[in-house]
Amino acid sequence: EFPLKISAPAPVPIVLPDSSPDHPINEDATRLKNSCAKTHKDGIAFHPHYNHEIPEERRRMVMVATASENITTEIWVSDDIGLDFRKLNLSPSVRNTLEEGKCPMLATMGKVTYLVTQSMAMFGTADFGESWSVVLPAQVNKEIVMQVQVDFSTLLLVTKNKVYQMKPRNIQEFPLKFSAPAPVPIVLPDSSPDHP
């Protein structure tokens, strides 16, 4: 029927590991000291098989970033049931890009988990943190990435004034090769040509 009738936006419930109906995880598991997951929804990433359609294939692992002033930013991975965390031994290329006291952002898209810094440096891992590849070096445009979102096969990097879209050229090969971040045009309601 046209014109389309759309109901008001409704929040979508997000199932966090400690509230998953399939597998109870210790409530303290996501409460690492200085956990970025406390302040950012993208301070935590789930294993690519976290919600696998075959229950036996599910991997109830999460990756969490921790950061605080005067302490090196670290990345932690839980065991397969989410009870114990171990600190990842990051390569110098990743470790030197992490900004002290600043939370990096984590996101899983397909089989790859990404780590993005506020300076837009991006790394990808296909083995949930055992090895990382550089996807995008830190940018010199001085824009600060505030959020990372996944939209099907596209990563969206959100800064204060812009949204950048990154699509992999070939999602079958790893490390993924991305084209340069492209700004996404944002149309605000009061600037829409159809808006009264």
Side-chain angles (χ1 to χ4, degrees):
E1 179 180 326
F2 196 80
L4 296 175
K5 292 185 173 48
I6 299 174
S7 56
V12 176
I14 297 172
V15 178
L16 293 174
D18 58 357
S19 63
S20 169
D22 298 325
H23 194 90
I25 290 181
N26 186 330
E27 196 173 88
D28 294 327
T30 55
R31 294 192 181 151
L32 288 170
K33 186 175 182 182
N34 303 315
S35 171
C36 295
K38 291 178 185 177
T39 56
H40 297 81
K41 66 179 179 180
D42 48 13
I44 185 170
F46 300 97
H47 190 279
H49 288 177
Y50 189 87
N51 282 325
H52 199 280
E53 58 196 34
I54 302 168
E56 294 78 27
E57 296 293 318
R58 291 181 182 164
R59 301 290 308 273
R60 294 302 192 179
M61 298 171 71
V62 295
M63 185 180 293
V64 180
T66 59
S68 72
E69 206 171 311
N70 302 321
I71 295 178
T72 305
T73 301
E74 296 171 333
I75 308 297
W76 301 76
V77 171
S78 73
D79 60 14
D80 208 19
I81 57 173
L83 295 176
D84 292 316
F85 282 81
R86 67 179 171 80
K87 183 171 68 170
L88 292 180
N89 187 14
L90 299 171
S91 68
S93 63
V94 177
R95 196 171 52 248
N96 294 339
T97 310
L98 295 175
E99 295 132 317
E100 190 175 284
K102 296 181 180 176
C103 285
M105 288 137 281
L106 300 165
T108 300
M109 182 174 75
K111 297 178 182 177
V112 182
T113 301
Y114 296 93
L115 181 153
V116 181
T117 67
Q118 292 183 12
S119 59
M120 215 179 280
M122 184 186 299
F123 302 88
T125 176
D127 52 18
F128 212 57
E130 297 304 316
S131 61
W132 295 87
S133 296
V134 176
V135 175
L136 183 70
Q139 303 298 292
V140 293
N141 60 10
K142 302 297 183 197
E143 288 191 82
I144 296 172
V145 177
M146 301 168 68
Q147 188 179 29
V148 174
Q149 296 180 6
V150 175
D151 182 26
F152 296 104
S153 62
T154 303
L155 283 174
L156 299 174
L157 308 180
V158 181
T159 68
K160 185 175 181 179
N161 298 312
K162 293 181 182 171
V163 176
Y164 291 91
Q165 179 181 43
M166 293 188 63
K167 288 187 177 189
R169 294 184 191 133
N170 181 353
I171 60 172
Q172 300 303 322
E173 65 180 54
F174 188 81
L176 295 175
K177 303 280 190 264
F178 282 84
S179 49
V184 177
I186 300 173
V187 178
L188 299 174
D190 58 356
S191 63
S192 169
D194 300 327
H195 193 76

